[in-house]
Amino acid sequence: MDAKETYVDILITSLKKKISILERLEKVVMDQERILRNSQTSLEDLDENDKEKGKLLGELEDADEGFEKVYNRVKEEFAVNKYKYETEIKEMQGMIKQITDLTVKLQAQEVRNKQWMELFFRNKKEEVRIFHKGTKSTERYNSHMANRPQGQSYFLDKKK
């Protein structure tokens, strides 16, 4: 096995890794929708999901860079000896199609999640507004009660 064939194997392995990452990312993005739809969700749940998504996106970016570097080393070989690598090229084309399909699916889900995210934060903002309103009412009540004279009660029985 020469260096070019090794590079081809690395490209195929890299594409398989990208597919795996995209499938895991798909699960995380679908989980994000579930989190956003749940009215009892905490911001911590959303943050944890976002961290996992960021980690996977970082892995995907690394895989893309690695693929690009290796591909740049063999693209001339592919152009010159297409017939020699026909099977591998078709396999990679199939994987690239699968990657493209997963990417399109993820982008569509991200658009839906953006709408759910806007609704989620609108609801959280309303919860905070209601909480502050309740806090202000409590402060006013406590202030009013603290400033009230503490004389004898009007209804106390003065008999001894």
Side-chain angles (χ1 to χ4, degrees):
M1 182 180 274
D2 68 353
K4 299 294 182 190
E5 290 174 5
T6 302
Y7 287 142
V8 170
D9 289 340
I10 291 171
L11 287 174
I12 290 171
T13 303
S14 177
L15 289 173
K16 287 177 182 176
K17 181 178 180 182
K18 284 176 68 170
I19 290 169
S20 171
I21 294 168
L22 285 168
E23 288 171 343
R24 292 187 336 223
L25 187 59
E26 180 181 26
K27 289 176 186 171
V28 169
V29 170
M30 295 299 286
D31 194 39
Q32 183 181 42
E33 180 183 7
R34 182 192 56 76
I35 290 169
L36 291 169
R37 288 179 126 187
N38 183 353
S39 62
Q40 302 302 315
T41 295
S42 69
L43 290 174
E44 290 80 20
D45 294 336
L46 190 59
D47 187 49
E48 186 178 312
N49 178 272
D50 194 50
K51 285 178 184 175
E52 179 66 21
K53 188 171 146 186
K55 183 183 125 211
L56 289 171
L57 288 172
E59 287 180 29
L60 189 62
E61 189 175 311
D62 291 344
D64 278 340
E65 288 175 13
F67 180 86
E68 192 68 33
K69 286 178 184 177
V70 174
Y71 180 74
N72 285 335
R73 292 182 183 204
V74 295
K75 67 181 174 184
E76 287 181 34
E77 178 72 16
F78 281 170
V80 173
N81 296 315
K82 253 186 193 178
Y83 64 91
K84 183 178 177 184
Y85 299 103
E86 186 175 354
T87 306
E88 291 87 351
I89 290 172
K90 285 186 181 194
E91 182 180 359
M92 285 188 281
Q93 286 172 337
M95 286 188 275
I96 291 170
K97 182 186 179 324
Q98 188 177 357
I99 288 168
T100 303
D101 292 345
L102 281 167
T103 303
V104 168
K105 193 174 177 182
L106 280 168
Q107 288 172 341
Q109 184 62 44
E110 285 289 350
V111 169
R112 287 189 296 273
N113 283 2
K114 181 180 180 204
Q115 294 168 344
W116 283 109
M117 185 87 65
E118 289 168 356
L119 179 63
F120 176 82
F121 282 115
R122 202 173 317 127
N123 290 340
K124 289 296 180 189
K125 184 177 177 181
E126 182 65 16
E127 287 175 21
V128 169
R129 188 188 67 74
I130 290 170
F131 175 79
H132 283 299
K133 187 177 178 181
T135 303
K136 286 180 184 178
S137 295
T138 303
E139 286 174 359
R140 280 194 307 266
Y141 173 78
N142 289 337
S143 174
H144 176 70
M145 293 308 283
N147 294 333
R148 191 168 164 224
Q150 297 295 323
Q152 289 184 346
S153 174
Y154 181 76
F155 294 105
L156 268 178
D157 188 6
K158 295 191 177 189
K159 287 185 186 178
K160 284 202 174 192

